[in-house]
Amino acid sequence: MTEFKISTIEAQQAAAIRSRVPMEELRTAFDTGFSQVMRAVTEQGATLTGPPFGYYHSMPGETIDVSIGFPVSTEVRAGNVQPFELPGGQAVVGTHVGPYDQLEGTYGELMTWVKLEGLELAEGMWEQYVSDPAAEPDPATWRTLIVWPLA
């Protein structure tokens, strides 16, 4: 069971690639997006200031509107990589522990919690991938921070 809380989040400058991706191609889009953003960040001498993220502009369906990137120290712009801002303000925050394919269950818990608390969610939310699967090969230990701003 995931614990959720309301937190005040600071806006974060980021670099990201925005794509509309069929659900079955999402993992490939993340792998490609993260490597392209990292290359642009490195080439422009910027510094990463937080873990990688996937920002979902609307509720996922068969196709997902997602910005894939990293918080950065300074503006980064190169080809498909564009400046982006993770918004600040009041948000519901919780940490999913486990494989990515189990995130749906955590979102179900989040929706139940939000309803019980009488809250209204904004359009757009993000996941920050706190664990690096290359460094932590056991998916049961992966940590994903879920941040969903309030309306």
Side-chain angles (χ1 to χ4, degrees), residues 7-89:
S7 296
T8 301
I9 305 294
E10 294 293 321
Q12 296 178 65
Q13 178 173 238
I17 294 175
R18 185 171 180 173
S19 304
R20 286 193 179 277
V21 183
M23 179 66 87
E24 63 273 7
E25 295 176 22
L26 191 59
R27 184 178 179 101
T28 302
F30 271 99
D31 291 345
T32 302
F34 287 149
S35 65
Q36 288 177 355
V37 173
M38 275 299 296
R39 186 168 36 255
V41 166
T42 302
E43 287 172 358
Q44 295 190 18
T47 304
L48 301 181
T49 60
F53 66 85
Y55 181 94
Y56 299 90
H57 295 272
S58 57
M59 289 297 282
E62 288 182 27
T63 302
I64 300 169
D65 183 5
V66 62
S67 288
I68 297 166
F70 292 87
V72 292
S73 59
T74 187
E75 184 176 291
V76 174
R77 185 185 303 267
N80 291 339
V81 179
Q82 297 295 316
F84 185 78
E85 182 178 84
L86 292 170

Side-chain angles (χ1 to χ4, degrees), residues 93-118:
V93 178
T95 301
H96 166 82
V97 178
Y100 302 136
D101 63 4
Q102 293 177 4
L103 274 161
E104 190 174 332
T106 302
Y107 279 105
E109 293 176 20
L110 184 149
M111 293 305 195
T112 299
W113 187 85
V114 164
K115 187 174 184 175
L116 290 172
E117 295 292 317

